[in-house]
């Protein structure tokens, strides 16, 4: 595909993309609200699933297909399922509910509003390129070469960190079981 | 009138027809797969199987549609599911109970979008581009852009449009993939969406408010998460060989013959990776011998114990649709997809996937589909032949056998590619390199079998749990 092809396709798809954008953004926003409002832990996790899927849809719309797929594999398919697993295995009653105290509510609201205003400021003050032309800037092979070339050391450090976390978690889990025996 | 209609049909984009046909074919096939399953079961067990329901609906004047060797069975099953009482037990989480089967079938149907059914179709059409300035030749870029704007999404202009008979009209050659969505990351997309299907199982099991359903859901989750690792690694060996995640390209690179006789499919270069992939997709589908999630002797029915009517049917259909997707990926990765000896497009010598004949594209889809059905037959054959694993055996197979083996084969493939790098222009795997890859597979298998023999043997019996009164404990049961 040449640049002329890609530009023309993008031009043509703008109307469809706009509709899809509002659908995905709506899914993300509403289910993000659901995550906060719902008192049932598993329902919260399911709302979080829809938030993550909505964000993945937005990535797809932005032609960042790899990022979208990774979002689905890592966050929706991996991390969240482990959270649900943990909640289900550890909660005392099957339909356990959050009962936050007044202090917790106040702290949560203040932290959330600070982050919200920081984000609003960041978004309004940044100058975004209105008509991005370079769609093929980050194909997967380039991404891989960058990760394992220019950014090899940070990449390896993060890997080692994750390994340490994993071994630590396994050790802690094992230690508790010995105590139980 | 006829011409307007024809024009109108002409401008409905190709992807629309492909989507329509693929979805109806998949849903129809899934219904008939259930009949096939029962037929295969009866074949394995030396029975006749369902052979009564035809299409006569009990009407005497339709006598000639009676029987039909049981072909009407899926229709009868579907009607029965629809008219059964939609029962929801008390104490369930009402929203999630309904949502779970929906999530399951939705994710699996979405994942089918990236399967490359028929290669790439090339067509030429005379289009009025609206560039009427005849005084100067129009720049090629501008022509391409104008032609691209006139085409529906998914169809990409190939080359530069050439002037046709009428002024302002150009012959535009364009290509489109004969699949629903041509994604650069096809394999990853399918793995990602399939990994979401586990939510249907786990949420369904949890929302039922039933301990057995919950246990089934947990088992299914542990099973699917564990087997996703070797599945991904087996896929990675193939991705490594071609340097792309695009399923269409992976199929295209297999569409040729070694020495004109052996098809260059990956099953011949990576048999061990294929074997691991096959085991993993069995586990992902939660079918015997991996159907711990619905072990009826232990869990009544598993995560769908409390489900009835269409909600149960959705779970049931999702299982078969999932098999269809994973088998299609298996065919694309290891069996050359739509390629069949003698069936290449010949439109573009550098790219055997491109064809300008609609008939060839359709025949390719049929070839792909038949190969997929053969893999599904293997699924059913295995299900009715092998007994169920114990849970620790299931986990042991994934973590002690499949994952180390797939890591070794991935490493071996990387080494082979590094030292015997293939023809970079064509990115094909064949000749010497194919033989070396095959040798690497065989050596890995032998080494692992040798290592298995050297390992200390596990105790020959199951671990005995001393429950008072059980047959492993001669003490009498504690009586009140």
């Amino acid at each position: 595909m040449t640049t002329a092809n890609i530009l023309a396709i993008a031009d043509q798809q703008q109307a469809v993309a706009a509709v899809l954008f509002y659908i995905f953004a709506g899914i993300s926003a509403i289910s993000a609200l659901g995550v906060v409002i719902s008192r049932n832990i598993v329902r919260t996790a399911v709302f979080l699933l829809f938030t993550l899927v909505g964000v993945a849809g937005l990535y797809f719309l932005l032609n960042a297909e790899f990022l979208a797929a990774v979002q689905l594999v890592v966050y929706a398919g991996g991390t969240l399922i482990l959270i649900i697993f943990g909640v289900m295995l550890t909660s005392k009653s099957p339909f356990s509910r959050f009962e936050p105290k007044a202090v917790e509510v106040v702290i949560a609201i203040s932290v959330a509003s600070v982050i919200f205003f920081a984000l609003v400021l960041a978004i309004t003050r940044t100058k975004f390129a209105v008509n991005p032309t370079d769609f093929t800037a980050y194909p997967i092979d380039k991404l891989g070469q960058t990760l394992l070339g220019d950014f090899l050391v940070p990449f390896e450090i993060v890997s080692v960190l994750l390994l340490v976390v994993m071994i630590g978690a396994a050790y802690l889990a094992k230690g508790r079981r010995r105590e139980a025996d | 009138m006829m011409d307007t209609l024809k024009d109108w049909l002409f401008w409905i984009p190709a992807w629309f027809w492909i989507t329509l046909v693929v979805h109806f074919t998949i849903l129809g096939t899934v219904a008939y797969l259930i009949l096939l399953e029962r037929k295969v079961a009866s074949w394995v067990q030396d029975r006749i199987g369902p052979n009564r329901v035809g299409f006569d609906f009990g009407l005497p004047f339709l006598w000639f549609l009676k029987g039909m060797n049981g072909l009407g069975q899926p229709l009868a099953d579907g009607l029965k599911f629809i008219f059964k009482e939609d029962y929801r037990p008390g104490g369930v989480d009402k929203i999630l109970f309904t949502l779970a089967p929906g999530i399951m079938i939705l994710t699996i149907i979405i994942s089918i979008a990236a399967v490359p059914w028929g290669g790439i179709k090339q067509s030429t059409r005379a289009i009025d581009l609206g560039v009427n300035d005849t005084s100067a030749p129009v720049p090629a870029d501008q022509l391409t852009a104008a032609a691209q704007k006139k085409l529906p999404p998914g169809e990409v202009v190939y080359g530069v449009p050439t002037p046709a008979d009428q002024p302002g009209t150009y012959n535009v050659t364009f290509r489109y993939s004969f699949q629903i969505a041509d994604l650069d990351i096809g394999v990853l997309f399918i793995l990602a969406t399939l990994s979401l299907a586990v939510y249907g199982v786990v949420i369904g099991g949890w929302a039922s408010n039933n301990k057995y359903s919950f246990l089934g859901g947990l088992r299914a989750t542990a099973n699917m998460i564990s087997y996703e690792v070797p599945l991904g690694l087996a896929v990675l060996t193939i991705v490594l060989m071609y340097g792309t995640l695009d399923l269409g390209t992976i199929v295209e690179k297999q569409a040729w013959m070694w020495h004109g006789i052996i098809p260059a499919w990956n099953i011949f270069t990576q048999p061990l990776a294929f074997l691991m992939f096959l085991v993993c997709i069995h586990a992902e589908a939660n079918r015997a011998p991996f159907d711990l999630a619905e072990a009826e002797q232990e869990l009544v029915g598993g995560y769908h114990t409390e489900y009835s009517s269409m909600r149960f049917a959705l779970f049931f259909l999702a299982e078969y649709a999932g098999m269809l997707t994973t088998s299609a990926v298996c065919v694309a990765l290891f069996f050359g997809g739509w390629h069949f000896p003698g069936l290449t497009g010949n439109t573009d010598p550098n790219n055997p996937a491109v064809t300008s004949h609609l008939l060839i594209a359709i025949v390719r889809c049929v070839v792909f589909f038949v190969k997929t059905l053969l893999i599904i037959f293997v699924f059913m054959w295995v299900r009715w032949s092998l007994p169920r694993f114990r849970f620790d055996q299931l986990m042991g197979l994934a973590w002690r056998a499949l994952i180390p083996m797939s890591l070794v084969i991935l490493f071996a493939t990387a080494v082979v590619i590094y030292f015997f790098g293939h023809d970079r222009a064509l990115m094909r795997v064949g000749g010497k390199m194919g033989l070396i890859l095959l040798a690497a597979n065989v050596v890995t298998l032998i080494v692992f079998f040798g290592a298995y023999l050297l390992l200390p043997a596990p105790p020959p019996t199951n671990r005995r749990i001393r429950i008072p009164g059980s047959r492993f404990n001669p003490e009498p049961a504690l009586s009140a």
Side-chain angles (χ1 to χ4, degrees), chain B residues 272-442:
Chain B
L272 189 59
F274 163 70
L275 212 63
M276 288 186 296
F277 187 84
L278 194 68
V279 172
C280 291
I281 59 178
H282 272 82
E284 287 287 309
N286 266 325
R287 287 169 60 86
F290 300 97
D291 63 342
L292 272 289
E294 42 197 85
E296 59 270 18
Q297 295 91 336
E298 303 153 27
L299 295 177
V300 188
Y303 57 87
H304 47 50
T305 305
E306 302 290 354
Y307 282 87
S308 58
S309 183
M310 268 324 267
R311 277 189 261 231
F312 172 74
L314 287 185
F315 272 128
F316 206 55
L317 292 180
E319 180 187 325
Y320 286 88
M323 274 162 64
L324 211 60
T325 318
T326 47
S327 306
V329 176
C330 184
V331 167
L333 289 178
F334 294 100
F335 288 92
W338 43 259
H339 178 243
F340 192 73
L343 195 74
T344 46
N346 299 330
T347 303
D348 185 342
N350 290 325
N351 190 345
V354 179
T355 176
S356 49
H357 301 283
L358 187 64
L359 192 66
I360 289 187
I362 290 171
V363 170
R364 281 171 169 183
C365 292
V366 173
V367 168
F368 198 120
F369 202 64
V370 169
K371 284 180 182 174
T372 309
L373 288 181
L374 285 177
I375 302 269
I376 287 180
F377 175 71
V378 174
F379 265 95
M380 293 174 175
W381 198 3
V382 167
R383 172 171 177 177
W384 295 103
S385 305
L386 294 181
R388 183 179 299 133
F389 281 125
R390 225 168 48 218
F391 197 69
D392 59 320
Q393 291 171 330
L394 180 89
M395 287 293 142
L397 180 65
W399 293 97
R400 293 203 201 118
L402 287 178
I403 292 178
M405 222 145 103
S406 51
L407 278 173
V408 167
I409 199 70
L410 184 66
F411 181 70
T413 311
V415 168
V416 170
I417 288 174
Y418 184 77
F419 284 108
F420 305 91
H422 36 57
D423 185 357
R424 277 280 152 188
L426 284 175
M427 285 293 277
R428 283 171 169 175
V429 175
K432 202 170 82 179
M433 190 182 155
L435 282 177
I436 294 169
L437 275 177
L438 180 63
N441 270 267
V442 173

Side-chain angles (χ1 to χ4, degrees), chain A residues 1 5 8-9 11-12 40 42-43 46 49 60 65-66 69 72-73 76 80-81 84-85 88-89 94-95 140, chain B residues 91 93 144-145 148-149 151 156-157 183-185 188-189 192 196 198-199 203 206 209 214 218 221 225 245:
Chain A
M1 271 201 253
N5 283 132
I9 291 171
D11 200 37
Q12 192 181 39
N40 183 320
V42 175
R43 274 198 196 173
V46 174
L49 168 69
F60 267 115
E65 289 159 356
F66 182 71
L72 286 182
V73 171
L80 188 60
I81 200 79
I84 290 189
F85 219 77
M88 286 180 171
L89 280 176
F95 296 103
I140 311 157
Chain B
D93 188 319
T144 315
Q148 188 68 66
K149 272 183 192 156
L151 287 175
V156 177
V157 175
L183 293 170
D184 281 347
I185 48 143
L188 201 59
F189 176 80
L196 293 184
V198 69
Y199 282 101
I203 292 171
W206 182 82
N209 193 20
F214 185 53
L218 283 183
T221 318
I225 290 181
L245 286 165

